[in-house]
Amino acid sequence: MASVYRPQIAPQMTSGALPTANPDSFGAGIGDAIAGIGMDIGQRAVREARMEAERKRDIDVSQAMAGLATLRGELDAADNEARMTARAGAPGHAAAMGQLFDERAAALLDSIGDPDVRARFAPQIAAARASFVSEADAFERGQTVRATVDNVGVAGNAFANRAARAATPEALQTEIDGFTASINALSLDGRTKAELTRQYRQQAVAGWVGNRPPEQIGPLLASGAFDAELTPQQQDALRNGADVEIRRRELAAQAEARAAAAAAKEEIDQLQREAADGIPIDPARLDRARANAATYGFTGDAYDMAKLAVKDALNREFRSATPLQIEQRLRALNGQIAQAGERAEPAWIIARDHLQSMLGARTTQVDNDPQAFGAALGIQYEPIDLSNRSSVGRRVAAARATAEATGRPPVYLSPQEVTQIQADMDTPTGRRQALATAQAFMGVDPQAVRQVATQLAPNDELFIHAAGLPGQVGGQVLEGRSLIGNSYTAPRALDAGLQQAIGAAMALMPPQSRNNVLAAARSLYAYHASRDNVPDTAESRVDPARALRMLHLATGATTRSDGQRQGGIGNWEGQPVLLNPRLTQREFESRMASLRTTGLFMRDGTEISGEMLRTNYLPVMQADGRYRFRDRRGGFAVLQNGRVGAIDLQRLGR
């Protein structure tokens, strides 16, 4: 209700004037005043209601504003969290954010009671939604592009690596064209497509050029074929990389060559050391060493390897050869060299010198341990049982087989066996055992006895001679020797008496054999004199019969079952002669008497008959048991060819 204007100062009454007559004078003014008061109260109520409504709207508006602000904060937080956990490309992010905004905005509008306020805020919420969803959509589209670019990056790297391995420029271009078509098919903007195509095309070309052999990279870049693809900086990097790789390879090759040369030199030196030690050389290693010596310019080593090849071939060829076989080859080679003269090949000279060295070494090897050499040839040597004749026989057979293979005299005991026996030979028992060892061969091969005795006592001629004497005689010789000068004093005339008794019977024997017989007879004389208690002194007279009997024993004479002596000192026309160990005096005379034609001649060519031989010549036995015939002037009967002849009287009676 509109208020009524009232003046603030009442009009003044004039003095002495009478009040005028009007409605107010009759109470009308009071009614108007009451009516004015009523109107004023109504207007105030309306105003207060309007003010309350405005207050409520202000509250709704302020709450809506606060709600909208809170909504934006919460939605921004939700958007940020969704972005952090979004999958690659953030698919559906904008739609999810729009749905979330709508749900939260509807709740906000529902909380506003005043329709006018809802109506007023609806446009603001719509504007806020548009802004919010637009930002979410921009993020989603950005993430989609980013995911696409990332995928293109994976595919681009694979393409670039594959293209870099292309065998030819044509194959490279095919890869590039395929990748470019794939990029163009993407829903990316043209600028992005162009940049991706350029980036990975450049990467592929750079990789392809970089994968070429270093020596090809410089010419490829210099041709200008890749100027459109590669920047100057990339070309410089590729060119520098190629130069570095070329230098690295050169240095590596030089280092490798030095290492290979050093390894080759070491192998050559090792081969020479092994060859010097007698180790067989693998032909493949030797061929490699010769090739390396030529490759690396080892002139001296090349000659040494060629020389070693000749030697190694000879070592292989003559690995099991006997000294005789080596000597035969050596003689043939010497003849070949002599015939060729100055045209003789160096390899022949090397072979000759090596064969000469091999001959000496092989001879020493065979001499030192022929059994080991024989075993290497496959000849079986078993431990010997001296009490078993068959065992001794097998040892003799093995020694003979080795001797036949080597061309050397047979050796019956091994160095180990000899050493074992010699260890006790300083004692009487040991000497008797050694003698028994040698004599164990007597029944199998009498010729082996002397060889075995020589092995056991190489410097004791009397021991060697005693071993070849039959029965107990050898032991008596050794015991008699130990008596002389100790318990027995030999007559001074003993040696002269023995020499007189033997006369010229051993004229054809080696001087040492004659000395051995005399020494054995002297020892036997001492043994029997001591056994028979003969009190000899230095001045004693020598018993001729005893001396002759000792000479019989010392020359190996034996007594047959019929009591006849065979071997020893015999007699021919009053002269002492040495009898063949298988002949008695009677058999000797009988066979001499049976000679009619002799096959022997005088020096002037006159044939010697049996009668002439018996009358004018003295039979003298030589070491093999045959007899030569010496005339009174000291000359010998000869064969028709002029060489000294001999007759085997033992075989003559068979």
Side-chain angles (χ1 to χ4, degrees):
M1 178 182 294
S3 62
V4 178
Y5 174 78
R6 294 182 182 276
Q8 300 298 313
I9 301 173
Q12 296 180 353
M13 297 297 291
T14 61
S15 172
L18 292 174
T20 62
N22 55 45
D24 291 335
S25 297
F26 298 96
I30 296 171
D32 289 341
I34 292 171
I37 291 171
M39 289 179 62
D40 190 37
I41 291 172
Q43 289 176 348
R44 185 180 296 114
V46 171
R47 185 170 60 249
E48 289 177 352
R50 185 171 60 248
M51 289 177 63
E52 179 64 21
E54 289 178 352
R55 184 183 64 78
K56 289 182 178 180
R57 279 197 302 273
D58 288 344
I59 292 173
D60 286 343
V61 169
S62 64
Q63 288 178 341
M65 291 176 63
L68 180 59
T70 301
L71 175 64
R72 287 300 302 267
E74 291 175 349
L75 288 175
D76 287 343
D79 181 46
N80 289 334
E81 183 177 356
R83 291 186 184 192
M84 292 176 63
T85 59
R87 292 185 291 113
H93 178 75
M97 292 299 100
Q99 181 179 356
L100 179 62
F101 190 99
D102 292 342
E103 293 172 356
R104 299 286 183 88
L108 175 62
L109 289 173
D110 289 344
S111 68
I112 300 174
D114 191 328
D116 291 338
V117 173
R118 283 200 302 273
R120 285 176 57 188
F121 271 88
Q124 294 183 39
I125 291 175
R129 183 185 191 281
S131 174
F132 179 72
V133 173
S134 176
E135 291 177 0
D137 181 65
F139 170 74
E140 180 178 342
R141 283 186 286 105
Q143 290 300 305
T144 300
V145 171
R146 180 177 179 181
T148 302
V149 171
D150 289 344
N151 291 334
V152 170
V154 174
N157 287 331
F159 146 72
N161 291 333
R162 186 173 60 253
R165 296 191 297 269
T168 63
E170 292 76 15
L172 171 64
Q173 188 60 49
T174 299
E175 292 287 349
I176 292 175
D177 292 344
F179 182 74
T180 302
S182 298
I183 293 296
N184 290 335
L186 297 174
S187 58
L188 299 173
D189 61 275
R191 181 178 180 181
T192 301
K193 291 180 182 180
E195 176 58 25
L196 290 173
T197 301
R198 182 201 64 76
Q199 175 185 347
Y200 291 107
R201 178 187 180 101
Q202 192 176 69
Q203 182 178 337
V205 171
W208 187 85
V209 173
N211 280 345
R212 299 309 94 194
E215 60 274 6
Q216 295 181 10
I217 293 178
L220 279 174
L221 296 175
S223 69
F226 301 99
D227 288 353
E229 306 292 346
L230 301 175
T231 66
Q233 293 78 10
Q234 288 176 315
Q235 293 194 32
D236 287 342
L238 287 169
R239 190 178 293 107
N240 292 337
D243 291 341
V244 169
E245 179 62 17
I246 290 173
R247 289 193 298 273
R248 187 197 67 77
R249 290 187 180 184
E250 289 175 350
L251 293 174
Q254 292 172 3
E256 184 178 354
R258 286 193 298 271
K265 186 64 170 68
E266 174 57 28
E267 183 176 27
I268 289 171
D269 294 343
Q270 180 63 24
L271 284 176
Q272 291 178 327
R273 288 191 291 268
E274 292 178 10
D277 291 338
I279 300 174
I281 303 300
D282 180 5
R285 289 179 63 201
L286 185 55
D287 291 343
R288 183 171 61 250
R290 295 182 66 183
N292 286 338
T295 299
Y296 296 112
F298 302 153
T299 306
D301 289 325
Y303 175 79
D304 290 341
M305 289 299 98
K307 185 176 179 180
L308 183 57
V310 174
K311 292 182 176 181
D312 185 66
L314 291 173
N315 289 342
R316 293 178 181 280
E317 180 181 354
F318 291 95
R319 178 176 300 166
S320 301
T322 66
L324 180 60
Q325 291 172 318
I326 298 175
E327 187 175 5
Q328 290 172 344
R329 176 66 175 276
L330 184 59
R331 284 198 298 267
L333 188 57
N334 278 330
Q336 184 179 359
I337 293 172
Q339 184 176 3
E342 294 181 355
R343 296 189 303 276
E345 297 183 9
W348 299 352
I349 309 299
I350 295 171
R352 179 198 62 191
D353 294 345
H354 189 57
L355 283 172
Q356 188 66 53
S357 176
M358 287 180 66
L359 177 59
R362 189 62 49 83
T363 299
T364 300
Q365 178 186 5
V366 172
D367 290 345
N368 288 344
D369 194 351
Q371 288 191 17
F373 185 77
L377 297 178
I379 298 173
Q380 185 174 0
Y381 280 85
E382 63 181 45
I384 188 171
D385 180 359
L386 296 173
S387 64
N388 186 317
R389 183 184 178 94
S390 296
S391 177
V392 175
R394 287 190 292 272
R395 176 60 64 88
V396 170
R400 287 176 178 173
T402 301
E404 184 177 354
T406 60
R408 314 290 293 176
V411 178
Y412 300 94
L413 298 180
S414 69
Q416 295 77 16
E417 291 168 336
V418 170
T419 300
Q420 182 177 358
I421 295 171
Q422 286 177 336
D424 297 326
M425 285 185 67
D426 289 340
T427 67
T429 301
R431 286 193 295 274
R432 285 193 295 270
Q433 181 59 44
L435 188 67
T437 299
Q439 291 181 332
F441 288 80
M442 183 71 74
V444 178
D445 183 5
Q447 295 182 356
V449 176
R450 181 177 179 83
Q451 176 61 32
V452 173
T454 301
Q455 284 187 265
L456 296 176
N459 299 318
D460 191 346
E461 288 290 341
L462 186 58
F463 177 89
I464 296 169
H465 182 78
L469 298 178
Q472 302 298 317
V473 177
Q476 294 171 3
V477 169
L478 297 183
E479 189 170 347
R481 178 172 64 175
S482 65
L483 294 174
I484 296 176
N486 292 316
S487 61
Y488 176 77
T489 301
R492 290 192 183 95
L494 178 58
D495 290 344
L498 292 173
Q499 291 180 10
Q500 182 180 359
I502 201 171
M506 297 187 67
L508 293 182
M509 295 295 178
Q512 188 60 54
S513 296
R514 176 184 172 89
N515 294 338
N516 290 341
V517 168
L518 292 172
R522 188 169 184 267
S523 296
L524 287 168
Y525 193 97
Y527 172 80
H528 285 278
S530 296
R531 189 192 64 176
D532 298 339
N533 294 319
V534 176
D536 285 333
T537 65
E539 304 304 326
S540 297
R541 185 181 67 86
V542 175
D543 183 351
R546 174 179 290 173
L548 183 59
R549 190 167 66 252
M550 297 306 109
L551 284 171
H552 290 325
L553 295 175
T555 56
T558 57
T559 302
R560 292 179 179 176
S561 59
D562 60 0
Q564 295 189 66
R565 174 179 54 81
Q566 61 182 10
I569 304 299
N571 182 280
W572 180 253
E573 298 295 333
Q575 296 292 326
V577 295
L578 195 61
L579 295 179
N580 182 288
R582 300 294 181 86
L583 296 177
T584 65
Q585 177 68 31
R586 183 179 298 177
E587 289 170 343
F588 173 75
E589 292 174 353
S590 172
R591 292 176 189 186
M592 284 291 294
S594 68
L595 290 173
R596 296 291 182 267
T597 58
T598 64
L600 300 176
F601 297 84
M602 299 172 63
R603 289 290 180 181
D604 61 3
T606 303
E607 184 175 1
I608 301 174
S609 65
E611 181 63 27
M612 293 173 63
L613 195 68
R614 287 187 291 274
T615 303
N616 301 319
Y617 290 85
L618 177 68
V620 183
M621 194 181 79
Q622 57 187 22
D624 61 2
R626 296 186 304 160
Y627 287 87
R628 293 183 182 183
F629 294 87
R630 188 175 64 181
D631 61 23
R632 291 180 177 84
R633 295 189 301 271
F636 287 94
V638 299
L639 300 174
Q640 195 168 14
N641 60 11
R643 298 177 61 183
V644 175
I647 296 176
D648 188 347
L649 294 179
Q650 181 200 352
R651 296 178 62 88
L652 190 62
R654 294 181 181 178

